[in-house]
Amino acid sequence: MKKTLPFILAAALFFPMVLSAQEEMTYEQWELGIADAQKREQEAKAKIAGEQSQITALKEQIAQAVKQTEATRQEALSQIGKTPEEISAWNEKIDELVRKLQDLNMLSPDELVKRISELKGIESTLTTLKQAKEALLFASIARIAEVEGLIQQVRSNLPDKPMSYQVRLIPQNRDCLWRIAGYQEIYNDPLQWPRLYEANKDQIDKTYARYSRNTADAKYEKAADLIFPGQVFDIPR
C-alpha cells in the first residue's frame, strides 16, 4: 500500500497535464484552420474579382463583334440588293429541301427508287436557289453545302444498278426499248420494255411527234419504236 501510494499521486498529477496539453493543441489547430480558411476565402474573392473583370471585358468584345457582324450583314444585303425578308424566304426553301432529304434518307433502297423523281426535283430546286443572289452570302454557302451533302447521302442509298441509260449508236444491232430492257444490267428481260416507255413517255412522244412532222413517209408507226442515240432514259426499278 505504501509503495503504490506515490504512484497514484504521480499519476494524478501527470494526467491533468496531458489532457490540458491536448486541449491546448486542439485549440491551436482550430485557430490555424480558421486562419487558413480566411486566407483561402480572400484569395478566392480576389480571383473571382479578376474573373469578373475578364468576363466584363469579354462581354464588351462580344457586343462589339455582334455589332460588326450586323454591319457586315447589312452591307452584304445592300450589295446583293436583297432584304432580310427575302433572305429569310430563301432560307425557308432550303429548310424545306433539308426536311425532304431527311425523309428520303429514311427509306429503303427499293422505296427510294420509287421516289427518285422527288430527289431529282430537289436537285432541280437547289440549282435554282444556287442561281439566286441570296446564295452569294457566306451563310448561304454553308446552307447549300448542307443540302448537297444530304443529296450525296441519299444517292449513296440507291441500288447499285444504273438509274439511267444513254442510247448508243450500234450500226448492226441498234438500241431499242426491247433490247435495252433485255440487257443484264437493266432488267435482263426484253418483255419489260413498256416500263422504259412509260418512264420516258414524254421524251419519246415529243421526239416522235417532231419526226412525224418533218418526215413525209414516216417509217415508224409507234412512238415506242423510235429512239435516237444520245437520248438518256430513266430506268425505273
Side-chain angles (χ1 to χ4, degrees):
M1 183 67 179
K2 291 181 179 180
K3 293 182 178 180
T4 58
L5 183 59
F7 175 77
I8 293 173
L9 292 174
L13 293 172
F14 175 74
F15 281 114
M17 292 174 62
V18 172
L19 291 173
S20 177
Q22 289 179 343
E23 290 175 359
E24 185 177 354
M25 182 65 70
T26 302
Y27 180 76
E28 289 177 355
Q29 291 176 345
W30 178 78
E31 283 189 328
L32 289 173
I34 291 295
D36 182 62
Q38 290 175 339
K39 179 181 178 182
R40 284 187 281 112
E41 180 185 4
Q42 293 301 321
E43 291 175 349
K45 287 181 178 179
K47 187 176 181 180
I48 290 173
E51 290 178 349
Q52 288 289 354
S53 177
Q54 293 179 2
I55 290 172
T56 300
L58 286 173
K59 285 182 177 180
E60 292 176 355
Q61 292 177 14
I62 291 172
Q64 185 64 25
V66 169
K67 184 177 180 181
Q68 291 177 352
T69 300
E70 180 60 22
T72 302
R73 190 177 77 90
Q74 291 298 332
E75 182 180 355
L77 292 178
S78 175
Q79 289 179 353
I80 66 174
K82 293 294 179 179
T83 65
E85 291 74 19
E86 289 173 319
I87 298 297
S88 178
W90 185 91
N91 276 292
E92 287 176 1
K93 293 177 181 178
I94 290 290
D95 290 337
E96 184 179 358
L97 295 186
V98 170
R99 286 192 295 270
K100 289 181 177 180
L101 287 167
Q102 289 173 340
D103 290 342
L104 291 177
N105 202 34
M106 299 296 292
L107 300 177
S108 67
D110 291 339
E111 292 173 329
L112 182 57
V113 166
K114 296 176 183 177
R115 296 173 61 177
I116 190 66
S117 60
E118 293 182 38
L119 179 58
K120 291 182 177 180
I122 290 172
E123 291 173 329
S124 177
T125 301
L126 179 61
T127 298
T128 301
L129 291 175
K130 288 169 67 175
Q131 294 171 351
K133 290 184 177 180
E134 290 88 339
L136 298 174
L137 295 174
F138 182 78
S140 300
I141 295 174
R143 298 303 312 278
I144 290 171
E146 177 187 4
V147 175
E148 289 176 336
L150 286 171
I151 288 174
Q152 291 179 359
Q153 188 174 355
V154 172
R155 282 203 165 275
S156 69
N157 294 332
L158 288 168
D160 294 334
K161 292 184 178 181
M163 303 302 300
S164 63
Y165 178 85
Q166 184 172 13
V167 180
R168 297 174 294 175
L169 177 61
I170 308 176
Q172 289 80 12
N173 202 16
R174 74 177 185 86
D175 263 346
C176 64
L177 297 181
W178 171 277
R179 289 197 178 92
I180 294 172
Y183 293 150
Q184 184 175 3
E185 69 273 18
I186 306 301
Y187 296 132
N188 199 30
D189 180 5
L191 295 178
Q192 296 292 322
W193 72 265
R195 296 178 63 186
L196 295 176
Y197 175 68
E198 289 300 325
N200 301 277
K201 191 175 186 301
D202 288 345
Q203 180 184 176
I204 294 173
D205 286 354
K206 287 179 181 178
T207 302
Y208 182 77
R210 188 164 55 249
Y211 163 79
S212 299
R213 287 195 304 268
N214 298 330
T215 305
D217 185 16
K219 178 181 178 181
Y220 301 97
E221 297 181 357
K222 295 185 297 184
D225 293 333
L226 185 63
I227 61 176
F228 293 92
Q231 286 183 307
V232 178
F233 294 150
D234 291 333
I235 309 298
R237 297 293 180 181

Short mmCIF file of all heavy atoms in Angstrom, two decimals, residues 66-88:
data_model
loop_
_atom_site.label_atom_id
_atom_site.label_comp_id
_atom_site.label_asym_id
_atom_site.label_seq_id
_atom_site.Cartn_x
_atom_site.Cartn_y
_atom_site.Cartn_z
N VAL A 66 -20.69 41.40 -82.40
CA VAL A 66 -22.06 41.31 -82.89
C VAL A 66 -22.41 42.55 -83.70
O VAL A 66 -23.04 42.46 -84.77
CB VAL A 66 -23.05 41.13 -81.72
CG1 VAL A 66 -24.49 41.30 -82.19
CG2 VAL A 66 -22.85 39.77 -81.07
N LYS A 67 -22.00 43.68 -83.20
CA LYS A 67 -22.26 44.95 -83.89
C LYS A 67 -21.57 44.97 -85.26
O LYS A 67 -22.17 45.36 -86.27
CB LYS A 67 -21.78 46.11 -83.03
CG LYS A 67 -22.09 47.48 -83.61
CD LYS A 67 -21.63 48.58 -82.66
CE LYS A 67 -21.94 49.96 -83.23
NZ LYS A 67 -21.48 51.04 -82.31
N GLN A 68 -20.33 44.52 -85.30
CA GLN A 68 -19.59 44.48 -86.56
C GLN A 68 -20.21 43.47 -87.53
O GLN A 68 -20.30 43.73 -88.73
CB GLN A 68 -18.13 44.13 -86.29
CG GLN A 68 -17.36 45.23 -85.57
CD GLN A 68 -15.94 44.81 -85.25
OE1 GLN A 68 -15.56 43.67 -85.42
NE2 GLN A 68 -15.14 45.76 -84.76
N THR A 69 -20.64 42.32 -86.98
CA THR A 69 -21.27 41.30 -87.82
C THR A 69 -22.55 41.82 -88.46
O THR A 69 -22.81 41.61 -89.65
CB THR A 69 -21.58 40.04 -86.99
OG1 THR A 69 -20.37 39.52 -86.45
CG2 THR A 69 -22.24 38.97 -87.85
N GLU A 70 -23.35 42.51 -87.66
CA GLU A 70 -24.60 43.06 -88.18
C GLU A 70 -24.32 44.11 -89.25
O GLU A 70 -25.01 44.17 -90.27
CB GLU A 70 -25.41 43.66 -87.03
CG GLU A 70 -26.74 44.27 -87.46
CD GLU A 70 -27.67 43.28 -88.12
OE1 GLU A 70 -27.52 42.06 -87.89
OE2 GLU A 70 -28.57 43.72 -88.86
N ALA A 71 -23.30 44.92 -89.01
CA ALA A 71 -22.94 45.94 -90.00
C ALA A 71 -22.49 45.29 -91.31
O ALA A 71 -22.86 45.73 -92.40
CB ALA A 71 -21.84 46.84 -89.45
N THR A 72 -21.70 44.22 -91.17
CA THR A 72 -21.24 43.49 -92.36
C THR A 72 -22.41 42.86 -93.10
O THR A 72 -22.48 42.87 -94.33
CB THR A 72 -20.23 42.40 -91.96
OG1 THR A 72 -19.14 43.01 -91.27
CG2 THR A 72 -19.71 41.67 -93.18
N ARG A 73 -23.36 42.30 -92.33
CA ARG A 73 -24.53 41.67 -92.94
C ARG A 73 -25.37 42.69 -93.70
O ARG A 73 -25.81 42.43 -94.83
CB ARG A 73 -25.37 40.99 -91.87
CG ARG A 73 -26.48 40.10 -92.41
CD ARG A 73 -27.21 39.41 -91.28
NE ARG A 73 -28.13 40.31 -90.63
CZ ARG A 73 -29.41 40.48 -90.99
NH1 ARG A 73 -29.90 39.79 -92.00
NH2 ARG A 73 -30.19 41.31 -90.34
N GLN A 74 -25.57 43.83 -93.09
CA GLN A 74 -26.35 44.88 -93.75
C GLN A 74 -25.65 45.35 -95.03
O GLN A 74 -26.30 45.61 -96.05
CB GLN A 74 -26.56 46.05 -92.80
CG GLN A 74 -27.48 45.75 -91.63
CD GLN A 74 -28.88 45.39 -92.06
OE1 GLN A 74 -29.36 45.83 -93.12
NE2 GLN A 74 -29.56 44.58 -91.27
N GLU A 75 -24.33 45.44 -94.97
CA GLU A 75 -23.57 45.84 -96.15
C GLU A 75 -23.70 44.80 -97.26
O GLU A 75 -23.87 45.14 -98.44
CB GLU A 75 -22.10 46.03 -95.79
CG GLU A 75 -21.25 46.51 -96.96
CD GLU A 75 -19.79 46.68 -96.57
OE1 GLU A 75 -19.48 46.51 -95.38
OE2 GLU A 75 -18.98 46.98 -97.47
N ALA A 76 -23.65 43.50 -96.86
CA ALA A 76 -23.78 42.43 -97.85
C ALA A 76 -25.17 42.45 -98.48
O ALA A 76 -25.32 42.28 -99.70
CB ALA A 76 -23.53 41.08 -97.18
N LEU A 77 -26.20 42.65 -97.66
CA LEU A 77 -27.56 42.72 -98.18
C LEU A 77 -27.72 43.88 -99.15
O LEU A 77 -28.40 43.78 -100.17
CB LEU A 77 -28.56 42.85 -97.03
CG LEU A 77 -28.71 41.65 -96.09
CD1 LEU A 77 -29.70 41.96 -94.98
CD2 LEU A 77 -29.16 40.42 -96.86
N SER A 78 -27.07 44.98 -98.81
CA SER A 78 -27.14 46.15 -99.68
C SER A 78 -26.48 45.87 -101.03
O SER A 78 -26.97 46.27 -102.08
CB SER A 78 -26.47 47.34 -99.00
OG SER A 78 -26.42 48.45 -99.86
N GLN A 79 -25.36 45.14 -101.00
CA GLN A 79 -24.63 44.86 -102.23
C GLN A 79 -25.39 43.91 -103.15
O GLN A 79 -25.34 44.05 -104.37
CB GLN A 79 -23.25 44.28 -101.89
CG GLN A 79 -22.30 45.30 -101.29
CD GLN A 79 -20.95 44.69 -100.96
OE1 GLN A 79 -20.76 43.48 -101.05
NE2 GLN A 79 -20.01 45.53 -100.56
N ILE A 80 -26.09 42.92 -102.58
CA ILE A 80 -26.83 41.98 -103.43
C ILE A 80 -28.25 42.45 -103.69
O ILE A 80 -28.99 41.82 -104.46
CB ILE A 80 -26.86 40.57 -102.81
CG1 ILE A 80 -27.67 40.56 -101.51
CG2 ILE A 80 -25.46 40.04 -102.59
CD1 ILE A 80 -27.87 39.17 -100.93
N GLY A 81 -28.64 43.54 -103.03
CA GLY A 81 -29.96 44.10 -103.28
C GLY A 81 -31.11 43.27 -102.75
O GLY A 81 -32.17 43.18 -103.38
N LYS A 82 -30.90 42.63 -101.59
CA LYS A 82 -31.94 41.78 -101.00
C LYS A 82 -32.27 42.26 -99.59
O LYS A 82 -31.41 42.74 -98.86
CB LYS A 82 -31.49 40.32 -100.96
CG LYS A 82 -31.33 39.68 -102.33
CD LYS A 82 -32.67 39.56 -103.04
CE LYS A 82 -32.54 38.94 -104.41
NZ LYS A 82 -33.84 38.79 -105.09
N THR A 83 -33.54 42.10 -99.23
CA THR A 83 -33.99 42.48 -97.90
C THR A 83 -33.87 41.28 -96.95
O THR A 83 -33.80 40.13 -97.41
CB THR A 83 -35.45 42.95 -97.93
OG1 THR A 83 -36.28 41.83 -98.31
CG2 THR A 83 -35.64 44.08 -98.92
N PRO A 84 -33.87 41.54 -95.64
CA PRO A 84 -33.85 40.42 -94.68
C PRO A 84 -35.02 39.46 -94.89
O PRO A 84 -34.87 38.24 -94.69
CB PRO A 84 -33.93 41.13 -93.32
CG PRO A 84 -33.32 42.47 -93.57
CD PRO A 84 -33.74 42.84 -94.96
N GLU A 85 -36.17 39.98 -95.29
CA GLU A 85 -37.33 39.12 -95.53
C GLU A 85 -37.07 38.17 -96.70
O GLU A 85 -37.47 37.00 -96.66
CB GLU A 85 -38.57 39.97 -95.81
CG GLU A 85 -39.09 40.75 -94.61
CD GLU A 85 -38.22 41.95 -94.26
OE1 GLU A 85 -37.44 42.39 -95.14
OE2 GLU A 85 -38.32 42.44 -93.12
N GLU A 86 -36.43 38.68 -97.74
CA GLU A 86 -36.13 37.83 -98.90
C GLU A 86 -35.10 36.76 -98.54
O GLU A 86 -35.19 35.61 -99.00
CB GLU A 86 -35.63 38.70 -100.05
CG GLU A 86 -36.71 39.57 -100.67
CD GLU A 86 -36.16 40.55 -101.68
OE1 GLU A 86 -35.08 41.13 -101.43
OE2 GLU A 86 -36.80 40.74 -102.74
N ILE A 87 -34.13 37.14 -97.72
CA ILE A 87 -33.13 36.16 -97.26
C ILE A 87 -33.82 35.08 -96.43
O ILE A 87 -33.52 33.88 -96.57
CB ILE A 87 -32.04 36.85 -96.42
CG1 ILE A 87 -31.30 37.89 -97.26
CG2 ILE A 87 -31.07 35.82 -95.87
CD1 ILE A 87 -30.55 37.32 -98.44
N SER A 88 -34.74 35.49 -95.59
CA SER A 88 -35.47 34.53 -94.75
C SER A 88 -36.29 33.58 -95.61
O SER A 88 -36.33 32.36 -95.34
CB SER A 88 -36.38 35.28 -93.78
OG SER A 88 -37.12 34.38 -92.99
#
